[in-house]
């Protein structure tokens, strides 16, 4: 069972390791939904990180359809992460038609063939989740998991959809499904009972006062580990 938490800086990341997180998703600008962290932040975290750090690669908050300039920025960020010792990224890209942008995804994989990729919640904005999943199966093992709220705003609103995606993952051997968005200690047990995923992504749900400007809460992390039997 894997617990991924969102972190914003070196202190956050160290605390997440101390509290028993399996890995972290490192981001900046949570008010914009999470963007690529700065070079300075990455330089202070990636070398010698105490647990796997999955770095968000998202150049802006204006959707997940990227033009040529965006693609160049993404490529340079991926190379920077590699140079600093990073081996995991969180990335997603779509076409104007609401499909997976296979051309850009392939370019990222070619740039960093040994990089472990989580395809993020851009997945939830595709026009057909099942079709999008089958597209991403082609990129296994480079794309090893999908962060998703089942096409809804919150994971708790999409238990049936998430359960179906987990079953699809198990049947195909494709990317694992990692539910995220809106998960907290009040709803995790029921969601896990319904969905049966092996990975869960939690953000403000394990923060004191439920806010990203507050630290991770040891008591809430303990509750999450108890619920998931970790």
């Amino acid at each position: 069972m894997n617990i991924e938490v969102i972190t914003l800086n070196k202190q956050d990341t160290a605390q997440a390791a101390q509290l028993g997180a399996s890995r972290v998703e490192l981001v900046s600008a949570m008010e914009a939904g999470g963007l690529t962290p700065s070079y300075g932040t990455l330089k202070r975290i990636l070398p010698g990180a105490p647990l796997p750090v999955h770095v968000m690669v998202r150049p802006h908050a204006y959707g997940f359809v990227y033009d040529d300039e965006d693609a160049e920025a993404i490529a340079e960020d991926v190379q920077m992460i590699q140079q600093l010792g990073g081996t995991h990224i969180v990335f997603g890209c779509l076409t104007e038609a609401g499909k997976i942008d296979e051309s850009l995804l392939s370019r990222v994989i070619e740039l960093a063939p040994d990089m472990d990729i989580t395809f993020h919640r851009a997945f939830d904005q595709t026009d057909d989740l099942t079709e999008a999943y089958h597209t991403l199966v082609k990129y296994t093992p480079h794309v090893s998991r999908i962060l998703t709220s089942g096409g809804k705003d919150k994971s708790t609103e999409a238990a049936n959809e998430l359960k179906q995606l987990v079953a699809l993952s198990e049947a195909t051997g494709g990317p694992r499904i990692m539910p995220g968005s809106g998960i907290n200690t009040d709803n995790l047990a029921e969601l896990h009972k319904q969905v049966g995923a092996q990975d869960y992504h939690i953000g403000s749900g394990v923060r004191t006062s439920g806010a990203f400007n507050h630290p991770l809460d040891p008591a809430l992390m303990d509750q999450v580990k108890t619920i998931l039997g970790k």
Side-chain angles (χ1 to χ4, degrees), residues 98-113:
K99 309 294 185 183
I100 304 295
D101 185 344
E102 295 188 67
S103 176
L104 182 52
L105 179 59
S106 295
R107 181 181 177 187
V108 168
I109 290 171
E110 288 168 8
L111 277 172

Side-chain angles (χ1 to χ4, degrees), residues 54-78:
H54 295 237
V55 181
M56 175 65 75
V57 176
R58 186 181 175 214
H60 58 66
Y62 312 119
F64 303 109
V65 178
Y66 297 120
D67 62 20
D68 290 343
E69 285 296 323
D70 295 329
E72 289 303 316
I74 288 165
E76 290 179 13
D77 284 341
V78 169

Side-chain angles (χ1 to χ4, degrees), residues 59-129:
H60 58 66
Y62 312 119
F64 303 109
V65 178
Y66 297 120
D67 62 20
D68 290 343
E69 285 296 323
D70 295 329
E72 289 303 316
I74 288 165
E76 290 179 13
D77 284 341
V78 169
Q79 290 173 319
M80 172 188 70
I81 292 164
Q82 284 190 107
Q83 290 165 4
L84 292 172
T87 55
H88 310 272
I89 60 171
V90 182
F91 175 69
C93 50
L94 304 179
T95 68
E96 292 281 3
K99 309 294 185 183
I100 304 295
D101 185 344
E102 295 188 67
S103 176
L104 182 52
L105 179 59
S106 295
R107 181 181 177 187
V108 168
I109 290 171
E110 288 168 8
L111 277 172
D114 296 324
M115 194 77 79
D116 172 76
I117 300 173
T118 298
F119 197 94
H120 63 44
R121 291 184 61 213
F123 179 81
D124 294 316
Q125 295 187 20
T126 59
D127 62 349
D128 185 315
L129 296 184

Side-chain angles (χ1 to χ4, degrees), residues 140-154:
T140 308
H142 302 287
V143 177
S144 60
R145 71 192 61 77
I146 300 170
L147 171 60
T148 174
S149 56
K152 304 291 179 66
D153 185 48
K154 304 294 183 186

